Amino acid sequence: MKDFIIPFDDRDLGTPAREGAPVTLSIDGFEVTVPEGTSVMRAAALAGLTIPKLCASDNLEAFGSCRLCVVEIEGRRGTPASCTTPVAPGMVVHTQNDKLRKLRRGVMELYISDHPLDCLTCAANGDCELQDMAGAVGLRDVRYAAPEGGALANHFTARNTSGEANRAWLPKDDSNPYFSYDPAKCIVCSRCVRACEEVQGTFALTIEGRGFDSRVSFGAKTDNALASDCVSCGACVQACPTATLQEKSVIELGTPSRSVITTCAYCGVGCSFKAELNGDTLVRMVPWKHGKANRGHSCVKGRFAYGYAQHSDRILNPMIRDRIDEPWREVSWEDALGFAASRLRALQEKHGRKSIGVITSSRCTNEETYLVQKLARAVFGNNNTDTCARVCHSPTGYGLGQTFGTSAGTQDFDSVEECDVAVVIGANPHAGHPVFASRLKKRLRQGAKLIVIDPRRTETVEGPHYKAAHHLALRPGTNVAVITALAHVIVTEGLMNEDFIRTRCDWDEFLHYADFVADPRHSPEATELLTGVPAAELRAAARLYATGGNGAIYYGLGVTEHSQGSTTVMAIANLAMLTGNMGRRGVGVNPLRGQNNVQGSCDMGSFPHELPGYRHVKLPEVRAVFEQAWGVELDPEPGLRIPNMLDAAVTGSFKGLYCQGEDILQSDPDTKHVAAGLAAMECVIVHDLFLNETANYAHVFLPGSTFLEKDGTFTNAERRINRVRKVMAPRNGYADWEITQMLANAMGGDWRYTHPAQIMDEIALTTPSFAGVDYAMLEEKGSVQWPCNAAHPEGTPLMHVDGFVRGKGRFIVTEYVATDERTGPRFPLLLTTGRILSQYNVGAQTRRTENVVWHDQDVLEVHPHDAEVRGIKEGDWVKLASRSGETTLRTTLTDRVSPGVVYTTFHHPDTQANVITTDYSDWATNCPEYKVTAVQVSQSNGPSDWQEAYSAHAARARRILPAAE
């Protein structure tokens, strides 16, 4: 199968690459020079000489079990395995002669004698390494035969010739929704077991038995693939050289014949994939080994959960309605866009040009997001543009901008391989960013230390062969107090890096900051009663981070989604500068972005006060750049944020919204207020794949395209700009950027883009950090990290190496201010929220895949003590109530949460967890305080009145008239 997009060498070279001094040897008469430590197998492959192999793969350490890769080395006895033999200077290797051919055929005969010869009907036919190697060694016959009147022991026949059951045979395991396990075809090469251990780090597979009885097992004998610890990342399936572990899509659709390299549209890791197809039919997604974010690994979502693109719920035709209580009418694109444009123009004529706005999507491409904010500024004539980063990482932009001078993470993901102490704050990479988590866990198994700061004992705290050195289980809402206490220990014990501070930071501001944190009121002992973190544990964690070597901080929404989210980000930046953990590999401050292009949506100017490249709209010189490029005069006044839009809608001054690829009714806080705001608007345009919750209040629905149906770029959490390539034609007829352009032109925009490459050229022309980016460069390099410009023509993997973007790093005083959301007699518990591995964000995509087998509803985690005093048992329906509203869901009892804290996810609209959350938000950015809500939990008989009313309203709002009507 040929990849026709990027000309990278996709061969499997057998063993991993090594770094070291050059070593020259001779292989089959060819002189080869490779780094010290390289295996003979890899050296031969680099020279274009293929050595047969079955147990070897270049993403796994050499194992040497198949004995197919034997070679002869002059001056050495025997025939060593080339995969486990390192090169040496002057070594003379022979990979082909009669002796080696005979040995290899003999080994292959043994494999084939215990393997079914059903190649023509096997799902791996044409994509089977066992089949390929049989041909490579010249195997033409198998001499092993059953004795007369007897049977040959094997694992692949259910019964022998006498009809007796074969005790060595096991039936196929089809329990996993995405792949099957057929023990009859297993050659016990151990590649799947090693992939699960070395790449994924789950250790779900093992080899049980000895000798002829050896076989792969999903843990306990009672476990099947679904019931085991397997997380369905697909690493074992990818590693399997036969059809033992096989994608069900390949079994159904056949071996793919072509592939396109593209980028995953789930979390902010930004994994690169080969979309493998038969014609225009997508057969499977395989992680691309040259992807710099994922290095050939994947998770269950990116690897398997792409079926939503073909789901029957998907809307493919534009729809309109005059009022939200009417059913939808399918219309042509021309009619839908004309209807939308006329309504928006009428609203501006009646209520003023600032009465309408846009919400950009963090799931769409950079190019599409750029056009949506341009629509607001150049066509609507205002700055009413915002994005989902408002409700997730807007404090990151503010906090890091204030301290470092730029609004993004400092490292690439490869950097984790050199960290000595990893601090994970308010994030659960295991569930939210699983591919990065696998790389982090690998480093932890190598000896790095882990500090987790989280109210909940997440799956990241402890895993196979590692455990966090410190878990600071703080009380929700006390992040600032905990991090300031860490800084107190570092300053008062003299553990700061004074040379770094004097050289790289503002010394006067540091002295002011040091006086602040040294105050005894910030000591761990003084804050222990407030935070719930034992003082001794906090002091030990501070000392470890300050003295343990390279210290890297990774944080998530548990940091930003607070009333002091921006303050916490600044406190984290203070910690990194305080200890000198900036500007080199293995260190830094790294926000783990939640969505595939949330970084890009911010870069593209989606905020109401910033044009692309984080430049304020009030600056005349910045506006002049875009006014010249766009040919219009721009409004110098910042526009409305999402909460302001909703407030203004309720009061009657904001009347129209174009919402692309976001479901604010499910994802934003205080659902009742969001619904009231949407209901008050006179023209809501939803541009999405499905009739989402927000569409219940829409007047125009524009069907969107999936990431498989468009060209463009995503920017991941490490600032990496990755290409998105069209895998198939848009089922709705247009890519999203084309739809936005058609709407702009219907309102008089006169846009004339013919390909996203032209939009990227405009981005590069107007945005300094993207000045060196174009599609030709991305085709050549695969990806690049901004800033990419004349000063950094190759991109910037590490930020702030020689100095901070703002010049001197800025220490900022981080005073703890308690949230206004307080517990009390009515609401004595604190609710915090998060994600689960199998689901993504509001679940619009993953709920329409087989991933629901793992998580078909949101559940409430309750500590057994809190459950006991309320008479609640495992699986009970409970009412979850706050000052904002109430909902019902089932419970699970666990000590992952502390007494007084409850936890749930927000993936299912039936639960509508955000009807519980309040309108409290971050002081600087209005990022909602999702992570601290005072609640009460009590017994319930089922869905609440509000849930039933909401469900009935949603059903009415989704009625679609047949086209003829």
PDB file of all heavy atoms in Angstrom, residues 505-536:
ATOM      1  N   CYS A 505      14.857  37.191  34.618  1.00  0.00           N
ATOM      2  CA  CYS A 505      13.621  37.762  35.154  1.00  0.00           C
ATOM      3  C   CYS A 505      13.851  39.166  35.706  1.00  0.00           C
ATOM      4  O   CYS A 505      14.980  39.594  35.904  1.00  0.00           O
ATOM      5  CB  CYS A 505      13.057  36.861  36.263  1.00  0.00           C
ATOM      6  SG  CYS A 505      12.786  35.159  35.731  1.00  0.00           S
ATOM      7  N   ASP A 506      12.775  39.867  35.947  1.00  0.00           N
ATOM      8  CA  ASP A 506      12.827  41.194  36.542  1.00  0.00           C
ATOM      9  C   ASP A 506      13.118  41.041  38.036  1.00  0.00           C
ATOM     10  O   ASP A 506      12.273  40.542  38.788  1.00  0.00           O
ATOM     11  CB  ASP A 506      11.495  41.910  36.312  1.00  0.00           C
ATOM     12  CG  ASP A 506      11.527  43.360  36.772  1.00  0.00           C
ATOM     13  OD1 ASP A 506      11.830  43.593  37.960  1.00  0.00           O
ATOM     14  OD2 ASP A 506      11.228  44.242  35.952  1.00  0.00           O
ATOM     15  N   TRP A 507      14.311  41.450  38.447  1.00  0.00           N
ATOM     16  CA  TRP A 507      14.772  41.199  39.817  1.00  0.00           C
ATOM     17  C   TRP A 507      13.929  41.958  40.843  1.00  0.00           C
ATOM     18  O   TRP A 507      13.596  41.426  41.905  1.00  0.00           O
ATOM     19  CB  TRP A 507      16.243  41.572  39.948  1.00  0.00           C
ATOM     20  CG  TRP A 507      16.808  41.305  41.306  1.00  0.00           C
ATOM     21  CD1 TRP A 507      17.166  42.211  42.249  1.00  0.00           C
ATOM     22  CD2 TRP A 507      17.046  40.022  41.895  1.00  0.00           C
ATOM     23  NE1 TRP A 507      17.629  41.595  43.383  1.00  0.00           N
ATOM     24  CE2 TRP A 507      17.571  40.242  43.197  1.00  0.00           C
ATOM     25  CE3 TRP A 507      16.880  38.713  41.461  1.00  0.00           C
ATOM     26  CZ2 TRP A 507      17.921  39.207  44.047  1.00  0.00           C
ATOM     27  CZ3 TRP A 507      17.232  37.679  42.312  1.00  0.00           C
ATOM     28  CH2 TRP A 507      17.746  37.925  43.590  1.00  0.00           C
ATOM     29  N   ASP A 508      13.572  43.203  40.535  1.00  0.00           N
ATOM     30  CA  ASP A 508      12.773  43.977  41.489  1.00  0.00           C
ATOM     31  C   ASP A 508      11.409  43.336  41.713  1.00  0.00           C
ATOM     32  O   ASP A 508      10.924  43.265  42.852  1.00  0.00           O
ATOM     33  CB  ASP A 508      12.603  45.412  40.984  1.00  0.00           C
ATOM     34  CG  ASP A 508      13.905  46.201  41.032  1.00  0.00           C
ATOM     35  OD1 ASP A 508      14.787  45.824  41.835  1.00  0.00           O
ATOM     36  OD2 ASP A 508      14.051  47.168  40.255  1.00  0.00           O
ATOM     37  N   GLU A 509      10.791  42.857  40.626  1.00  0.00           N
ATOM     38  CA  GLU A 509       9.492  42.200  40.776  1.00  0.00           C
ATOM     39  C   GLU A 509       9.648  40.884  41.544  1.00  0.00           C
ATOM     40  O   GLU A 509       8.751  40.498  42.301  1.00  0.00           O
ATOM     41  CB  GLU A 509       8.852  41.963  39.406  1.00  0.00           C
ATOM     42  CG  GLU A 509       8.340  43.243  38.769  1.00  0.00           C
ATOM     43  CD  GLU A 509       7.567  42.996  37.495  1.00  0.00           C
ATOM     44  OE1 GLU A 509       7.752  41.922  36.892  1.00  0.00           O
ATOM     45  OE2 GLU A 509       6.782  43.881  37.099  1.00  0.00           O
ATOM     46  N   PHE A 510      10.785  40.209  41.343  1.00  0.00           N
ATOM     47  CA  PHE A 510      11.009  38.984  42.115  1.00  0.00           C
ATOM     48  C   PHE A 510      11.098  39.283  43.603  1.00  0.00           C
ATOM     49  O   PHE A 510      10.521  38.559  44.425  1.00  0.00           O
ATOM     50  CB  PHE A 510      12.284  38.270  41.661  1.00  0.00           C
ATOM     51  CG  PHE A 510      12.766  37.251  42.651  1.00  0.00           C
ATOM     52  CD1 PHE A 510      12.075  36.053  42.838  1.00  0.00           C
ATOM     53  CD2 PHE A 510      13.871  37.502  43.453  1.00  0.00           C
ATOM     54  CE1 PHE A 510      12.481  35.123  43.781  1.00  0.00           C
ATOM     55  CE2 PHE A 510      14.285  36.578  44.407  1.00  0.00           C
ATOM     56  CZ  PHE A 510      13.594  35.384  44.562  1.00  0.00           C
ATOM     57  N   LEU A 511      11.826  40.349  43.951  1.00  0.00           N
ATOM     58  CA  LEU A 511      11.964  40.675  45.368  1.00  0.00           C
ATOM     59  C   LEU A 511      10.609  40.974  45.996  1.00  0.00           C
ATOM     60  O   LEU A 511      10.322  40.553  47.120  1.00  0.00           O
ATOM     61  CB  LEU A 511      12.907  41.877  45.531  1.00  0.00           C
ATOM     62  CG  LEU A 511      14.375  41.634  45.168  1.00  0.00           C
ATOM     63  CD1 LEU A 511      15.176  42.921  45.303  1.00  0.00           C
ATOM     64  CD2 LEU A 511      14.985  40.535  46.031  1.00  0.00           C
ATOM     65  N   HIS A 512       9.777  41.688  45.258  1.00  0.00           N
ATOM     66  CA  HIS A 512       8.425  41.972  45.756  1.00  0.00           C
ATOM     67  C   HIS A 512       7.634  40.678  45.916  1.00  0.00           C
ATOM     68  O   HIS A 512       6.962  40.469  46.941  1.00  0.00           O
ATOM     69  CB  HIS A 512       7.720  42.922  44.777  1.00  0.00           C
ATOM     70  CG  HIS A 512       6.310  43.225  45.140  1.00  0.00           C
ATOM     71  ND1 HIS A 512       5.932  43.782  46.363  1.00  0.00           N
ATOM     72  CD2 HIS A 512       5.148  43.039  44.444  1.00  0.00           C
ATOM     73  CE1 HIS A 512       4.625  43.916  46.402  1.00  0.00           C
ATOM     74  NE2 HIS A 512       4.120  43.476  45.260  1.00  0.00           N
ATOM     75  N   TYR A 513       7.744  39.795  44.917  1.00  0.00           N
ATOM     76  CA  TYR A 513       7.039  38.504  44.963  1.00  0.00           C
ATOM     77  C   TYR A 513       7.565  37.646  46.110  1.00  0.00           C
ATOM     78  O   TYR A 513       6.789  37.004  46.842  1.00  0.00           O
ATOM     79  CB  TYR A 513       7.199  37.782  43.629  1.00  0.00           C
ATOM     80  CG  TYR A 513       6.704  36.356  43.631  1.00  0.00           C
ATOM     81  CD1 TYR A 513       5.348  36.063  43.579  1.00  0.00           C
ATOM     82  CD2 TYR A 513       7.600  35.289  43.688  1.00  0.00           C
ATOM     83  CE1 TYR A 513       4.890  34.750  43.584  1.00  0.00           C
ATOM     84  CE2 TYR A 513       7.152  33.976  43.686  1.00  0.00           C
ATOM     85  CZ  TYR A 513       5.808  33.711  43.644  1.00  0.00           C
ATOM     86  OH  TYR A 513       5.354  32.417  43.647  1.00  0.00           O
ATOM     87  N   ALA A 514       8.898  37.624  46.282  1.00  0.00           N
ATOM     88  CA  ALA A 514       9.503  36.802  47.339  1.00  0.00           C
ATOM     89  C   ALA A 514       9.041  37.258  48.716  1.00  0.00           C
ATOM     90  O   ALA A 514       8.773  36.429  49.603  1.00  0.00           O
ATOM     91  CB  ALA A 514      11.027  36.865  47.241  1.00  0.00           C
ATOM     92  N   ASP A 515       8.933  38.580  48.919  1.00  0.00           N
ATOM     93  CA  ASP A 515       8.416  39.087  50.199  1.00  0.00           C
ATOM     94  C   ASP A 515       6.986  38.599  50.420  1.00  0.00           C
ATOM     95  O   ASP A 515       6.602  38.257  51.547  1.00  0.00           O
ATOM     96  CB  ASP A 515       8.443  40.620  50.199  1.00  0.00           C
ATOM     97  CG  ASP A 515       9.851  41.168  50.376  1.00  0.00           C
ATOM     98  OD1 ASP A 515      10.732  40.406  50.800  1.00  0.00           O
ATOM     99  OD2 ASP A 515      10.061  42.357  50.060  1.00  0.00           O
ATOM    100  N   PHE A 516       6.209  38.583  49.345  1.00  0.00           N
ATOM    101  CA  PHE A 516       4.820  38.154  49.448  1.00  0.00           C
ATOM    102  C   PHE A 516       4.732  36.673  49.834  1.00  0.00           C
ATOM    103  O   PHE A 516       4.034  36.313  50.793  1.00  0.00           O
ATOM    104  CB  PHE A 516       4.116  38.399  48.111  1.00  0.00           C
ATOM    105  CG  PHE A 516       2.821  37.663  47.942  1.00  0.00           C
ATOM    106  CD1 PHE A 516       1.681  38.053  48.621  1.00  0.00           C
ATOM    107  CD2 PHE A 516       2.740  36.559  47.087  1.00  0.00           C
ATOM    108  CE1 PHE A 516       0.484  37.370  48.460  1.00  0.00           C
ATOM    109  CE2 PHE A 516       1.554  35.872  46.922  1.00  0.00           C
ATOM    110  CZ  PHE A 516       0.418  36.272  47.615  1.00  0.00           C
ATOM    111  N   VAL A 517       5.432  35.790  49.107  1.00  0.00           N
ATOM    112  CA  VAL A 517       5.271  34.348  49.375  1.00  0.00           C
ATOM    113  C   VAL A 517       5.960  33.925  50.659  1.00  0.00           C
ATOM    114  O   VAL A 517       5.595  32.896  51.240  1.00  0.00           O
ATOM    115  CB  VAL A 517       5.775  33.476  48.200  1.00  0.00           C
ATOM    116  CG1 VAL A 517       4.958  33.713  46.959  1.00  0.00           C
ATOM    117  CG2 VAL A 517       7.249  33.687  47.939  1.00  0.00           C
ATOM    118  N   ALA A 518       6.952  34.700  51.110  1.00  0.00           N
ATOM    119  CA  ALA A 518       7.654  34.323  52.345  1.00  0.00           C
ATOM    120  C   ALA A 518       6.827  34.601  53.593  1.00  0.00           C
ATOM    121  O   ALA A 518       7.156  34.122  54.689  1.00  0.00           O
ATOM    122  CB  ALA A 518       8.984  35.068  52.434  1.00  0.00           C
ATOM    123  N   ASP A 519       5.760  35.348  53.446  1.00  0.00           N
ATOM    124  CA  ASP A 519       4.885  35.638  54.582  1.00  0.00           C
ATOM    125  C   ASP A 519       4.404  34.329  55.215  1.00  0.00           C
ATOM    126  O   ASP A 519       3.949  33.420  54.515  1.00  0.00           O
ATOM    127  CB  ASP A 519       3.679  36.455  54.089  1.00  0.00           C
ATOM    128  CG  ASP A 519       2.855  37.027  55.242  1.00  0.00           C
ATOM    129  OD1 ASP A 519       2.522  36.259  56.167  1.00  0.00           O
ATOM    130  OD2 ASP A 519       2.544  38.221  55.201  1.00  0.00           O
ATOM    131  N   PRO A 520       4.517  34.194  56.529  1.00  0.00           N
ATOM    132  CA  PRO A 520       4.116  32.942  57.198  1.00  0.00           C
ATOM    133  C   PRO A 520       2.677  32.510  56.912  1.00  0.00           C
ATOM    134  O   PRO A 520       2.356  31.330  57.002  1.00  0.00           O
ATOM    135  CB  PRO A 520       4.304  33.262  58.685  1.00  0.00           C
ATOM    136  CG  PRO A 520       5.357  34.328  58.703  1.00  0.00           C
ATOM    137  CD  PRO A 520       5.128  35.153  57.472  1.00  0.00           C
ATOM    138  N   ARG A 521       1.807  33.444  56.522  1.00  0.00           N
ATOM    139  CA  ARG A 521       0.419  33.053  56.251  1.00  0.00           C
ATOM    140  C   ARG A 521       0.309  32.168  55.009  1.00  0.00           C
ATOM    141  O   ARG A 521      -0.726  31.544  54.790  1.00  0.00           O
ATOM    142  CB  ARG A 521      -0.468  34.282  56.090  1.00  0.00           C
ATOM    143  CG  ARG A 521      -0.177  35.146  54.882  1.00  0.00           C
ATOM    144  CD  ARG A 521      -0.894  36.501  54.973  1.00  0.00           C
ATOM    145  NE  ARG A 521      -0.528  37.392  53.899  1.00  0.00           N
ATOM    146  CZ  ARG A 521      -1.198  37.505  52.750  1.00  0.00           C
ATOM    147  NH1 ARG A 521      -2.282  36.759  52.560  1.00  0.00           N
ATOM    148  NH2 ARG A 521      -0.802  38.347  51.819  1.00  0.00           N
ATOM    149  N   HIS A 522       1.404  32.112  54.175  1.00  0.00           N
ATOM    150  CA  HIS A 522       1.391  31.257  52.990  1.00  0.00           C
ATOM    151  C   HIS A 522       2.089  29.921  53.227  1.00  0.00           C
ATOM    152  O   HIS A 522       2.236  29.129  52.289  1.00  0.00           O
ATOM    153  CB  HIS A 522       2.076  31.969  51.819  1.00  0.00           C
ATOM    154  CG  HIS A 522       1.369  33.218  51.389  1.00  0.00           C
ATOM    155  ND1 HIS A 522       0.037  33.242  51.045  1.00  0.00           N
ATOM    156  CD2 HIS A 522       1.819  34.495  51.259  1.00  0.00           C
ATOM    157  CE1 HIS A 522      -0.312  34.481  50.719  1.00  0.00           C
ATOM    158  NE2 HIS A 522       0.735  35.258  50.855  1.00  0.00           N
ATOM    159  N   SER A 523       2.518  29.672  54.450  1.00  0.00           N
ATOM    160  CA  SER A 523       3.230  28.424  54.734  1.00  0.00           C
ATOM    161  C   SER A 523       2.278  27.233  54.627  1.00  0.00           C
ATOM    162  O   SER A 523       1.057  27.381  54.794  1.00  0.00           O
ATOM    163  CB  SER A 523       3.832  28.467  56.138  1.00  0.00           C
ATOM    164  OG  SER A 523       2.801  28.397  57.110  1.00  0.00           O
ATOM    165  N   PRO A 524       2.799  26.048  54.336  1.00  0.00           N
ATOM    166  CA  PRO A 524       1.945  24.856  54.269  1.00  0.00           C
ATOM    167  C   PRO A 524       1.178  24.608  55.554  1.00  0.00           C
ATOM    168  O   PRO A 524       0.028  24.143  55.518  1.00  0.00           O
ATOM    169  CB  PRO A 524       2.936  23.727  53.984  1.00  0.00           C
ATOM    170  CG  PRO A 524       4.096  24.393  53.314  1.00  0.00           C
ATOM    171  CD  PRO A 524       4.198  25.750  53.949  1.00  0.00           C
ATOM    172  N   GLU A 525       1.795  24.941  56.679  1.00  0.00           N
ATOM    173  CA  GLU A 525       1.124  24.727  57.960  1.00  0.00           C
ATOM    174  C   GLU A 525      -0.058  25.675  58.116  1.00  0.00           C
ATOM    175  O   GLU A 525      -1.121  25.298  58.626  1.00  0.00           O
ATOM    176  CB  GLU A 525       2.117  24.936  59.110  1.00  0.00           C
ATOM    177  CG  GLU A 525       3.195  23.862  59.220  1.00  0.00           C
ATOM    178  CD  GLU A 525       4.279  23.976  58.161  1.00  0.00           C
ATOM    179  OE1 GLU A 525       4.389  25.053  57.515  1.00  0.00           O
ATOM    180  OE2 GLU A 525       5.029  23.001  57.958  1.00  0.00           O
ATOM    181  N   ALA A 526       0.114  26.903  57.631  1.00  0.00           N
ATOM    182  CA  ALA A 526      -0.956  27.891  57.770  1.00  0.00           C
ATOM    183  C   ALA A 526      -2.114  27.617  56.816  1.00  0.00           C
ATOM    184  O   ALA A 526      -3.262  27.970  57.109  1.00  0.00           O
ATOM    185  CB  ALA A 526      -0.400  29.295  57.531  1.00  0.00           C
ATOM    186  N   THR A 527      -1.814  27.009  55.681  1.00  0.00           N
ATOM    187  CA  THR A 527      -2.857  26.788  54.661  1.00  0.00           C
ATOM    188  C   THR A 527      -3.462  25.385  54.722  1.00  0.00           C
ATOM    189  O   THR A 527      -4.416  25.095  54.007  1.00  0.00           O
ATOM    190  CB  THR A 527      -2.285  27.008  53.255  1.00  0.00           C
ATOM    191  OG1 THR A 527      -1.185  26.111  53.035  1.00  0.00           O
ATOM    192  CG2 THR A 527      -1.827  28.449  53.069  1.00  0.00           C
ATOM    193  N   GLU A 528      -2.925  24.514  55.577  1.00  0.00           N
ATOM    194  CA  GLU A 528      -3.383  23.121  55.597  1.00  0.00           C
ATOM    195  C   GLU A 528      -4.871  23.006  55.894  1.00  0.00           C
ATOM    196  O   GLU A 528      -5.592  22.238  55.240  1.00  0.00           O
ATOM    197  CB  GLU A 528      -2.584  22.327  56.627  1.00  0.00           C
ATOM    198  CG  GLU A 528      -3.005  20.866  56.712  1.00  0.00           C
ATOM    199  CD  GLU A 528      -2.112  20.040  57.631  1.00  0.00           C
ATOM    200  OE1 GLU A 528      -1.011  20.521  57.999  1.00  0.00           O
ATOM    201  OE2 GLU A 528      -2.521  18.917  57.985  1.00  0.00           O
ATOM    202  N   LEU A 529      -5.367  23.792  56.828  1.00  0.00           N
ATOM    203  CA  LEU A 529      -6.785  23.712  57.191  1.00  0.00           C
ATOM    204  C   LEU A 529      -7.662  24.158  56.008  1.00  0.00           C
ATOM    205  O   LEU A 529      -8.744  23.604  55.777  1.00  0.00           O
ATOM    206  CB  LEU A 529      -7.065  24.576  58.415  1.00  0.00           C
ATOM    207  CG  LEU A 529      -8.452  24.410  59.057  1.00  0.00           C
ATOM    208  CD1 LEU A 529      -8.651  22.972  59.549  1.00  0.00           C
ATOM    209  CD2 LEU A 529      -8.624  25.400  60.214  1.00  0.00           C
ATOM    210  N   LEU A 530      -7.178  25.129  55.253  1.00  0.00           N
ATOM    211  CA  LEU A 530      -7.931  25.640  54.104  1.00  0.00           C
ATOM    212  C   LEU A 530      -7.919  24.651  52.947  1.00  0.00           C
ATOM    213  O   LEU A 530      -8.962  24.352  52.353  1.00  0.00           O
ATOM    214  CB  LEU A 530      -7.330  26.981  53.645  1.00  0.00           C
ATOM    215  CG  LEU A 530      -7.798  27.505  52.284  1.00  0.00           C
ATOM    216  CD1 LEU A 530      -9.246  27.952  52.358  1.00  0.00           C
ATOM    217  CD2 LEU A 530      -6.896  28.673  51.839  1.00  0.00           C
ATOM    218  N   THR A 531      -6.739  24.126  52.606  1.00  0.00           N
ATOM    219  CA  THR A 531      -6.582  23.329  51.382  1.00  0.00           C
ATOM    220  C   THR A 531      -6.833  21.843  51.594  1.00  0.00           C
ATOM    221  O   THR A 531      -7.122  21.122  50.633  1.00  0.00           O
ATOM    222  CB  THR A 531      -5.158  23.497  50.824  1.00  0.00           C
ATOM    223  OG1 THR A 531      -4.207  22.920  51.754  1.00  0.00           O
ATOM    224  CG2 THR A 531      -4.836  24.960  50.586  1.00  0.00           C
ATOM    225  N   GLY A 532      -6.684  21.367  52.838  1.00  0.00           N
ATOM    226  CA  GLY A 532      -6.807  19.941  53.104  1.00  0.00           C
ATOM    227  C   GLY A 532      -5.568  19.147  52.758  1.00  0.00           C
ATOM    228  O   GLY A 532      -5.574  17.915  52.845  1.00  0.00           O
ATOM    229  N   VAL A 533      -4.476  19.822  52.373  1.00  0.00           N
ATOM    230  CA  VAL A 533      -3.232  19.134  52.004  1.00  0.00           C
ATOM    231  C   VAL A 533      -2.302  19.122  53.207  1.00  0.00           C
ATOM    232  O   VAL A 533      -1.951  20.194  53.728  1.00  0.00           O
ATOM    233  CB  VAL A 533      -2.537  19.832  50.820  1.00  0.00           C
ATOM    234  CG1 VAL A 533      -1.227  19.135  50.490  1.00  0.00           C
ATOM    235  CG2 VAL A 533      -3.452  19.851  49.606  1.00  0.00           C
ATOM    236  N   PRO A 534      -1.871  17.952  53.666  1.00  0.00           N
ATOM    237  CA  PRO A 534      -0.952  17.887  54.806  1.00  0.00           C
ATOM    238  C   PRO A 534       0.315  18.698  54.552  1.00  0.00           C
ATOM    239  O   PRO A 534       0.911  18.625  53.457  1.00  0.00           O
ATOM    240  CB  PRO A 534      -0.640  16.392  54.933  1.00  0.00           C
ATOM    241  CG  PRO A 534      -1.815  15.714  54.297  1.00  0.00           C
ATOM    242  CD  PRO A 534      -2.256  16.609  53.188  1.00  0.00           C
ATOM    243  N   ALA A 535       0.731  19.467  55.533  1.00  0.00           N
ATOM    244  CA  ALA A 535       1.874  20.367  55.360  1.00  0.00           C
ATOM    245  C   ALA A 535       3.149  19.606  55.006  1.00  0.00           C
ATOM    246  O   ALA A 535       3.923  20.041  54.144  1.00  0.00           O
ATOM    247  CB  ALA A 535       2.076  21.180  56.640  1.00  0.00           C
ATOM    248  N   ALA A 536       3.376  18.479  55.649  1.00  0.00           N
ATOM    249  CA  ALA A 536       4.601  17.725  55.388  1.00  0.00           C
ATOM    250  C   ALA A 536       4.627  17.214  53.944  1.00  0.00           C
ATOM    251  O   ALA A 536       5.684  17.224  53.287  1.00  0.00           O
ATOM    252  CB  ALA A 536       4.709  16.555  56.369  1.00  0.00           C
TER     253      ALA A 536
END
